[in-house]
């Protein structure tokens, strides 16, 4: 005589089901975006998590305040018309190029916060009311990191621009340079966020990700700077243009210089022709699309394990 087959039993533990209103997918994505942006600046995390982002944000303000102070002093000395003779006082897009070390450290420190921890611990701090696709998750995380990078550069630029408007410099010229610089900073933020997010997702360990991003950006920047100097010395413009495509800061600098007829941040970068400007547009798209696609594939593979 066979024994009865055991059957499962459902115990009522008294948990209450969710009876509130379920928000839309857009609301879920918006909540993830806000939380990610807050975490990029250490808000909602431990006190030590706020040190690096706010320290970098504070250091980024110093050059802008100095440049703004110079403009104001020249105005008091009735020398505002001489301000354009000093290149940094009107070259707004030179600002992210000159402060690329600080931007690199900020990006390297915050990208693992948004991408490495989730993959390593396979959990996030939010409880979603409905499923969120992996593509939306990656795009929202990238948008939050891009916004954080954009903010730490755009705020000093805006202070510098506001100080310039109080002087007797050419308002139209500075306005053109300012908005061209903002466009460049936006593209630069997208490139840096895509690249650093990919590296952080590949490593999944915060310390290793920080080192890999810094080494990757600074090493390529050093090699490209050497090649640019060699190209400038030997008058090999083609070599200089090709070399500039291999690091985010130079490819975006050449792109903005060509699109908006802006001065380049350094004399080793030459103003590109229309043909080379199209090439830099393609190079910037490759940086963003290739890194974002590889990041999405990495997230899908990690989630399927």
């Amino acid at each position: 005589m066979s024994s009865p087959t055991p059957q499962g039993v459902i115990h009522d533990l008294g948990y209450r089901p969710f009876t509130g209103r379920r928000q839309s997918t857009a609301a879920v994505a918006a909540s993830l975006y806000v939380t990610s942006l807050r975490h990029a600046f250490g808000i909602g995390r431990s006190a030590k998590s706020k040190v690096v982002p706010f320290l970098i944000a504070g250091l980024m303000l110093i050059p802008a305040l100095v440049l703004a102070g110079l403009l104001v002093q020249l105005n008091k000395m009735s020398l505002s018309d001489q301000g354009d003779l000093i290149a940094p006082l009107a070259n707004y897009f030179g600002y992210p190029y000159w402060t690329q070390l600080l931007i690199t450290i900020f990006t390297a420190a915050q990208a693992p916060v948004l991408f490495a921890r989730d993959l390593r611990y396979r959990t996030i701090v939010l409880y979603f009311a409905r499923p969120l696709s992996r593509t939306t998750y990656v795009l929202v995380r990238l948008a939050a990191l891009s916004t954080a990078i954009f903010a730490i550069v755009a705020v000093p630029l805006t202070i510098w621009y506001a100080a310039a408007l109080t002087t007797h410099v050419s308002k139209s010229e500075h306005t053109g340079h300012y908005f061209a610089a903002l466009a460049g900073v936006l593209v630069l933020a997208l490139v840096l966020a895509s690249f650093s997010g990919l590296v952080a997702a590949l490593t999944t360990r915060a310390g290793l990700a920080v080192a890999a991003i810094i080494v990757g950006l600074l090493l390529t920047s050093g090699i490209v700077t050497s090649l640019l100097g060699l190209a400038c010395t030997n008058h090999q413009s083609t070599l200089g243009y090709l070399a500039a495509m291999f690091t985010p800061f130079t490819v975006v600098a050449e792109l903005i210089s060509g699109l908006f007829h802006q001065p380049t941040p350094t004399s080793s970068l030459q103003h590109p022709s229309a043909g080379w400007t199209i090439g830099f547009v393609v190079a910037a798209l490759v940086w963003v699309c290739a890194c974002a696609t590889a990041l999405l594939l990495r997230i899908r593979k990690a989630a399927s394990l």
Side-chain angles (χ1 to χ4, degrees):
M1 182 177 181
S2 60
S3 59
T5 303
Q7 297 181 352
V9 178
I10 298 177
H11 298 279
D12 184 3
L13 301 180
Y15 293 119
R16 292 188 302 175
F18 180 76
T19 57
R21 180 186 177 187
R22 291 180 180 272
Q23 299 292 335
S24 63
T25 302
V28 175
S31 180
L32 178 62
Y33 172 80
V34 173
T35 304
S36 303
L37 187 57
R38 284 166 52 88
H39 287 184
F41 287 97
I43 301 173
R45 300 168 57 205
S46 62
K48 66 179 182 180
S49 300
K50 300 178 178 63
V51 174
V52 172
F54 280 95
L55 177 62
I56 296 296
L59 293 176
M60 287 290 294
L61 289 173
I62 295 177
L65 294 176
V66 171
L67 292 169
L70 283 174
L71 282 171
V72 173
Q73 287 301 318
L74 287 175
N75 187 60
K76 289 181 178 179
M77 298 167 65
S78 301
L79 294 174
S80 294
D81 57 336
Q82 303 296 319
D84 293 340
L85 298 178
I86 306 175
L89 296 182
N91 190 352
Y92 288 86
F93 188 69
Y95 198 81
Y97 186 83
W98 303 322
T99 58
Q100 61 179 284
L101 177 60
L102 293 175
I103 299 173
T104 298
I105 294 174
F106 178 86
T107 303
Q110 303 313 311
V113 174
L114 302 187
F115 290 99
R117 293 193 311 174
D118 294 354
L119 291 180
R120 185 179 180 187
Y121 299 110
R122 294 181 177 276
T123 184
I124 60 176
V125 297
L126 290 178
Y127 184 82
F128 294 148
R130 62 178 69 247
L132 193 67
S133 69
R134 297 185 182 94
T135 301
T136 304
Y137 166 83
V138 171
L139 294 178
V140 170
R141 288 290 205 194
L142 283 178
L145 183 57
S146 301
T147 304
I149 298 171
F150 179 82
I152 66 163
V153 184
V155 171
L157 282 181
T158 303
I159 294 174
W160 174 11
Y161 173 64
L165 292 182
T166 64
T167 64
H168 293 99
V169 297
S170 173
K171 302 293 190 298
S172 59
E173 179 185 2
H174 277 255
T175 299
H177 290 334
Y178 170 70
F179 283 105
L182 286 186
V185 173
L186 178 60
V187 177
L188 180 63
L190 291 173
V191 173
L192 290 177
S194 303
F195 173 77
S196 59
L198 172 62
V199 175
L202 290 174
T203 57
T204 70
R205 293 185 178 274
L208 185 59
V210 171
I213 295 170
I214 290 178
V215 170
L217 290 177
L218 293 186
L219 183 61
T220 54
S221 179
I223 294 173
V224 168
T225 300
S226 300
L227 290 175
L228 288 174
L230 181 64
C232 184
T233 303
N234 297 323
H235 304 288
Q236 297 178 342
S237 58
T238 302
L239 174 62
Y241 292 140
L242 291 175
M245 293 182 178
F246 288 91
T247 180
F249 294 95
T250 51
V251 68
V252 178
E254 291 281 23
L255 172 64
I256 297 304
S257 177
L259 283 179
F260 300 104
H261 303 286
Q262 294 295 301
T264 56
T266 174
S267 59
S268 60
L269 284 172
Q270 300 182 31
H271 184 80
S273 61
W276 278 108
T277 300
I278 296 175
F280 285 112
V281 171
V282 174
L285 288 174
V286 169
W287 269 96
V288 175
C289 296
C291 292
T293 303
L295 174 60
L296 179 59
L297 295 176
R298 167 59 181 159
I299 297 291
R300 285 179 176 175
K301 180 180 179 181
S304 63
L305 295 178

